[in-house]
Amino acid sequence: MTTPPPSAAPPSEATPLPSAAAPRPAPWVRTRLRAAPLGTLLAAALAFVAVLLAAALPRAQDRGADQALRSFLERSGQTNTSLQVTAPAPLSGQSAEALDGTLKSLLSTTGGTFRVDPDAVVHGTRTTKRQPLLNPELSRPSGFPPAMSLLYVQQAPAHVKLVEGRWPSSTPPPAGAPEGPAAYDPPLQVALSQRAAETLGARLGSVLRSTPLVDGTPSVEVVGLYAVPDPTEDFWVGLDCLPRACEHYNGENLSWHVDALIGAGDLARMDVWGDTAEDFWRLPVDVGGLRADRLDATTKEIASYVAGPTAAALTRETARPRLRTTSWLPELFKQAHDRRQAAAPLALIGPAGVGGVAFVVLCLAGALAADRRDAELRLLLARGGSRAGIVGRLLGEGAVTVLPAAAAATALAVLLLPTPRLAPALLSAAVVALLALLAFPVRAAVLLTPPRPAGRWRRPLAELLVVIATAAAVLEVRRRGVAPAGSDPDPLLIAAPLLLALCGGLLLARLQPVVTGWLARAAGRSSGLVGFLGLARAARGSGAAGTNARGRTGPSVLPMVALLLAITTGGFGAAVLDSVDANRLGVARLAVGGDAAISAFGKASLPDGLAKAAGELPGVRTSVPLWIDHDSSVIGTTQRSTQISVIVAEPAAYAELSRTLGCGSFDPGLLTAGGAQSADSPVPALFSAGLARLAGPGTYTLQPGNGGELKARVVGVIDCTPARPARDAATVVLPAGPATALIGADRPNQWLGLGSVDGDRLRALVRAALPPASSTSQAPAPAPAAGQDPAAGTHPADEVYPVRTSAEAVAELGADPLQRSAQRLFWASVAGGGGFALLAVLLTLMRTVPERAALLARLRTMGLRRRQGVALILAETLPQTLGATLGGALVAAAAVALLGPAMDLSTLVGASVPTGVRLTAGPVLTQALGLAALVAVAVLVEAATSGRRQITTELRAGDQR
């Protein structure tokens, strides 16, 4: 035995290695992420997409709501969106500086939830009563003298152009101005609109005098004439008689009303022209800065400004005890809020659906990851690892993968969809990121939990609770109907379609194994093996590879629920939009009278041949020339004489028009009974329902507005008619023929058509039918409205006979940004839900990849061809997809039938329509079959591309299971 050298230390006393040379354990997270780079990337991509949608949807909703609010307020006009502040002019010390000081105080209290556009502010002083101008040379259309009021508007010079003379003096008179008769000399200096001066017959230098008073005669001197470059500017709203002379009617007597501008120098003398003067400030609220989410706070702040603490503080600060503020903004805000809430169900059903499908997909992804690493996790547990420690390490892996992707997705959503409110997007993104982070660790914790005795009552009890909750939600919605106008979005109306889809998924999970088992037994009787194997595996459910394959009793419920959620919400929303389109077209058709209409003004007739040429245009299916007179009367009713509208048309064509529009359908044989009518025999007539209650059956005398008489015999009653669709309108429909020609009805004054009519081509036809000299004067133009310049009564050629089409009316009804925003959000959600549903199916396929590859490898060694392998995969997968498609279509139809009557579509349509959604097969089947086809293509591509590689790998490695 060899003795060790003395210098050698025994092994137990050997010098330990330096700490730097000791082997360090590899970092867990880095090792695991490197071991499965593809899975890591896919998990990060899934988290990125889910969080991106979660963060983008609230911001898209905010942007749509803000845009809809601002558009609604802009259409309301600047007068309605302004704060109108008035106060009596001070008896002394009136000056432009005093007006500006009050304006500064008024603006100092704004800027919180709303701000005033300083560039659009209008303020000044006006006399409260117009004074008559007694100069004999002025225009007096009906013998009444014109009347004038005076205004000082500080911003006026920036909006007009001085064309003659000079501006009134801005230098105030010296202190101690005369009172009594001397106060009326010299005359007040004014600037007058050039158009108003021409209308009145005034000129530069004219001294216009008013009614003499005891102490003198008020008068003004026209020292300047100005022109208004753009009378349509918002600046002139409420100042209508400054750009031109306004028409004023006292009964049928016409007189002129004008306003004139004075300078700051005569502010202190304005009261000599009228009894009192009033200071005013128009403060236009900047609607572009208003936000829908802060509408309640803005309403409170406006209310405080109008009558509240802010109003009281302004009264003290300005030393004007009678300062008054009025505004229509609170009422407009309430209308905007009601409109937004009415459109909320459609805007929220889509996001709720995509959220449900995304939840299912994240759960499936967690289950797939747990199944893939089941053996590893159980080995760690067997070697002494604690369940909490393993779950903690899995959380660390997920944090490295999910959190950066979630942060990047949230930042991208914030960048792509800028909107002031950030909290909803961050909260939604955080919830989805947390779900993506916890899905795998929670599933792993469940798998590592020691098995407990099976409780067969758990699943039926859970399903029963879901059914009870669904039934309660549906019954409550059906019982109370739609939520009251202006209330918050109805959560039951939004959750009920999702609960119905969940019930459908649970029911389908119970039924599909039974039905597929029947099909498998039927396929087993045939000679082929592929169909039987695929259907048998679909019936019993594919187990996941690994030791946790505890035997499935049927297919997984989650993919079915994902497909059903996507199809149900998509089909329900599509049915809502289809009803919106149908109602909108119906409203447009009733407003127009058909798909196209040409009308003549007053009692004029359409040009010869125009109605016939219009009926021959491409796309015109039905052509209805008619004569309508709104000034007719019927003699012999209970009221002796009743004002009515008489419509004369060809019975068959008019009956088809009425049937298509759903307005007063009737049998044309009623109007054609008896053949040719003589001039003395009564003409068959259809009376409206209201008129029939006054008339009853019998023969009556009709007196058209253009003279003559006609005997009419009541042959039927209609509730409405396309040419006059109002339900309460008193109308009589007569057939065109020799008898009605005697009252001038042989020349139509209106044409209605059905079909896809091009409005531009129809207008071109109208212009071509007009003689050159009549392009602006052939047909009588409508009388200008009060306050309208008579020169504005001329019409271009295409407005002599106005043309309207239902397509243009539909476009006008659908031009509301609120409607477009809700529809865009819904279709984006449908696309997202469909994508997640497709991903759920693919994840299910990936979950069964190991077992399916092993099976195909075994069958390959027994002679299975590649095409048969693809067919086997399709036979195993498509029954679930087709079952979910059929179930989703049925559930969507049930949702429409059960919940549709509770939805008010008036806001989405753009007009008042009856409450309810109609059930049609087209929208529901389109959603269901479209998603089914997409899933089938994806399954086919996956089976064809990955099947061969998986089989080859299994054949090389051997069966290790």
Side-chain angles (χ1 to χ4, degrees):
M1 180 175 174
T2 304
T3 303
S7 59
S12 59
E13 299 177 3
T15 304
L17 294 174
S19 59
R24 293 182 178 179
W28 172 274
V29 174
R30 185 183 67 186
T31 303
R32 290 308 309 158
L33 296 182
R34 285 182 175 180
L38 181 59
T40 300
L41 290 177
L42 290 178
L46 177 60
F48 179 85
V49 173
V51 174
L52 178 64
L53 285 178
L57 284 176
R59 298 182 72 79
Q61 287 178 326
D62 282 352
R63 285 168 59 86
D66 291 345
Q67 183 183 6
L69 170 65
R70 294 161 187 171
S71 175
F72 172 72
L73 294 177
E74 286 172 358
R75 291 198 308 271
S76 300
Q78 193 181 84
T79 300
N80 293 332
T81 58
S82 298
L83 298 171
Q84 307 283 352
V85 185
T86 59
L91 298 177
S92 62
Q94 176 70 304
S95 65
E97 290 75 14
L99 292 171
D100 292 343
T102 303
L103 175 63
K104 184 177 179 181
S105 299
L106 294 174
L107 293 178
S108 65
T109 56
T110 63
T113 58
F114 76 95
R115 60 179 295 271
V116 172
D117 185 1
D119 296 331
V121 170
V122 180
H123 73 290
T125 304
R126 60 190 167 209
T127 55
T128 57
K129 183 179 179 181
R130 285 189 169 90
Q131 298 296 321
L133 301 178
L134 303 183
N135 299 57
E137 70 272 12
L138 299 181
S139 173
R140 302 188 180 194
S142 299
F144 286 83
M148 174 184 286
S149 64
L150 304 183
L151 285 90
Y152 167 75
V153 184
Q154 191 175 69
Q155 295 81 9
H159 297 269
V160 300
K161 179 182 179 182
L162 188 65
V163 294
E164 193 174 354
R166 60 179 176 83
W167 281 109
S169 174
S170 60
T171 304
E179 298 180 359
Y184 296 95
D185 274 337
L188 299 171
Q189 299 180 5
V190 300
L192 195 61
S193 164
Q194 190 177 40
R195 291 174 59 185
E198 293 172 355
T199 302
L200 291 181
R203 60 182 183 274
L204 188 67
S206 296
V207 177
L208 308 178
R209 302 186 182 277
S210 183
T211 305
L213 303 177
V214 175
D215 52 354
T217 301
S219 62
V220 295
E221 180 184 1
V222 181
V223 298
L225 299 177
Y226 60 85
V228 179
D230 184 10
T232 63
E233 270 188 296
D234 290 336
F235 173 81
W236 300 107
V237 175
L239 305 174
D240 302 318
C241 299
L242 277 177
R244 61 179 181 272
C246 299
E247 297 174 345
H248 176 71
Y249 286 91
N250 185 7
E252 296 183 355
N253 298 316
L254 170 66
S255 62
W256 298 110
H257 279 185
V258 295
D259 293 339
L261 293 173
I262 68 169
D266 284 329
L267 271 175
R269 294 202 302 152
M270 282 189 70
D271 56 351
V272 303
W273 184 255
D275 294 335
T276 57
E278 179 185 68
D279 295 341
F280 66 91
W281 298 264
R282 188 175 75 200
L283 311 178
V285 173
D286 182 14
V287 298
L290 296 178
R291 290 166 48 182
D293 62 291
R294 303 177 67 182
L295 200 57
D296 292 340
T298 306
T299 302
K300 293 179 181 178
E301 192 168 342
I302 293 288
S304 175
Y305 204 104
V306 172
T310 305
L314 286 173
T315 300
R316 292 191 301 268
E317 183 179 348
T318 59
R320 291 175 177 263
R322 297 174 62 187
L323 189 74
R324 296 291 181 267
T325 303
T326 59
S327 179
W328 286 101
L329 279 172
E331 288 78 5
L332 292 177
F333 288 164
K334 185 178 184 304
Q335 295 177 24
H337 178 267
D338 293 347
R339 283 162 40 85
R340 181 187 178 191
Q341 301 304 69
L346 179 65
L348 294 178
I349 285 174
V354 72
V357 181
F359 175 79
V360 172
V361 169
L362 291 175
C363 292
L364 276 173
L368 175 63
D371 288 344
R372 179 172 55 86
R373 296 177 57 180
D374 179 69
E376 171 198 342
L377 298 177
R378 292 184 181 277
L379 180 61
L380 289 174
L381 187 64
R383 291 187 173 182
S386 66
R387 193 163 59 250
I390 295 173
V391 171
R393 290 180 180 271
L394 297 181
L395 281 174
E397 291 181 32
V400 173
T401 304
V402 172
L403 295 185
T410 305
L412 183 61
V414 171
L415 208 62
L416 293 178
L417 298 170
T419 186
R421 197 163 60 145
L422 192 60
L426 294 180
L427 180 61
S428 179
V431 170
V432 174
L434 185 62
L435 178 61
L437 179 63
L438 295 178
F440 175 32
V442 170
R443 175 63 177 172
V446 172
L447 290 178
L448 297 178
T449 301
R452 292 180 297 176
R456 296 190 176 183
W457 53 270
R458 294 174 186 166
R459 179 177 174 182
L461 180 59
E463 293 174 348
L464 181 61
L465 291 177
V466 172
V467 172
I468 292 174
T470 304
V474 172
L475 289 176
E476 181 65 14
V477 172
R478 294 279 296 181
R479 182 186 65 81
R480 60 173 171 77
V482 69
S487 60
D488 292 333
D490 192 343
L492 287 180
L493 191 60
I494 297 167
L498 306 184
L499 291 174
L500 285 171
L502 182 58
C503 285
L506 297 177
L507 179 62
L508 188 62
R510 291 286 189 179
L511 293 179
Q512 186 187 337
V514 178
V515 176
T516 311
W518 291 345
L519 295 176
R521 285 191 292 271
R525 300 188 188 99
S526 62
S527 58
L529 183 64
V530 172
F532 169 72
L533 284 177
L535 291 173
R537 287 173 55 80
R540 67 180 177 85
S542 302
T547 59
N548 73 319
R550 301 173 185 173
R552 296 176 185 257
T553 59
S556 174
V557 178
L558 290 180
M560 294 183 188
V561 172
L563 286 171
L564 279 167
L565 281 174
I567 294 174
T568 301
T569 54
F572 183 78
V576 171
L577 292 180
D578 182 73
S579 295
V580 168
D581 292 339
N583 284 326
R584 193 176 287 163
L585 178 59
V587 170
R589 278 179 160 180
L590 286 179
V592 172
D595 287 323
I598 307 175
S599 305
F601 281 120
K603 299 184 181 298
S605 302
L606 296 178
D608 294 336
L610 177 59
K612 180 180 178 181
E616 296 174 351
L617 285 176
V620 177
R621 186 175 69 252
T622 302
S623 175
V624 188
L626 55 87
W627 179 83
I628 182 170
D629 179 44
H630 298 289
D631 297 328
S632 299
S633 58
V634 58
I635 308 299
T637 64
T638 56
Q639 298 178 350
R640 293 190 177 182
S641 178
T642 304
Q643 189 81 13
I644 62 170
S645 296
V646 172
I647 301 165
V648 179
E650 198 279 319
Y654 196 72
E656 181 181 355
L657 179 67
S658 300
R659 178 183 55 79
T660 303
L661 268 62
C663 182
S665 299
F666 65 92
D667 180 8
L670 295 175
L671 295 180
T672 57
Q677 300 289 331
S678 64
D680 297 331
S681 60
V683 179
L686 298 175
F687 277 32
S688 62
L691 180 61
R693 286 192 293 269
L694 298 176
T699 301
Y700 297 89
T701 301
L702 303 182
Q703 294 180 344
N706 57 358
E709 286 187 353
L710 184 68
K711 297 291 185 180
R713 175 172 49 89
V714 181
V715 297
V717 178
I718 53 176
D719 53 355
C720 72
T721 188
R724 189 95 187 275
R727 298 282 174 175
D728 57 347
T731 56
V732 174
V733 179
L734 304 175
T740 52
L742 297 177
I743 59 174
D746 55 333
R747 291 178 58 85
N749 55 17
Q750 192 171 10
W751 175 84
L752 303 177
L754 291 176
S756 55
V757 187
D758 186 357
D760 294 336
R761 179 174 291 185
L762 194 58
R763 289 185 178 88
L765 181 66
V766 171
R767 287 192 294 268
L770 294 176
S774 62
S775 60
T776 60
S777 60
Q778 173 169 330
Q788 181 179 356
D789 189 5
T794 59
H795 297 268
D798 57 348
E799 293 184 5
V800 174
Y801 298 100
V803 172
R804 296 185 298 164
T805 65
S806 62
E808 295 169 349
V810 166
E812 292 176 3
L813 290 173
D816 190 348
L818 182 66
Q819 304 167 7
R820 295 199 303 268
S821 173
Q823 293 180 11
R824 284 197 304 265
L825 187 62
F826 169 76
W827 287 120
S829 300
V830 167
F836 276 118
L838 176 62
L839 186 58
V841 175
L842 294 179
L843 286 175
T844 305
L845 288 176
M846 294 176 62
R847 193 178 183 187
T848 59
V849 162
E851 181 186 357
R852 186 172 66 244
L855 174 65
L856 292 177
R858 297 189 192 104
L859 294 176
R860 185 70 176 272
T861 60
M862 291 185 282
L864 183 74
R865 294 189 297 271
R866 181 183 178 187
R867 182 178 301 177
Q868 291 177 315
V870 174
L872 178 62
I873 296 174
L874 293 177
E876 177 186 349
T877 308
L878 290 184
Q880 185 176 5
T881 301
L882 296 178
T885 300
L886 178 60
L890 293 177
V891 173
V896 174
L898 294 174
L899 305 174
M903 293 197 67
D904 185 4
L905 304 179
S906 298
T907 299
L908 294 174
V909 172
S912 179
V913 295
T915 300
V917 178
R918 67 174 189 173
L919 176 60
T920 53
V924 176
L925 290 179
T926 299
Q927 296 294 315
L929 296 179
L931 186 56
L934 183 64
V935 171
V937 170
V939 170
L940 180 61
V941 171
E942 194 275 339
T945 55
S946 63
R948 183 175 182 180
R949 176 177 54 82
Q950 294 164 359
I951 294 173
T952 303
T953 302
E954 289 290 332
L955 289 175
R956 288 177 179 175
D959 186 5
Q960 301 175 0
R961 298 168 179 81

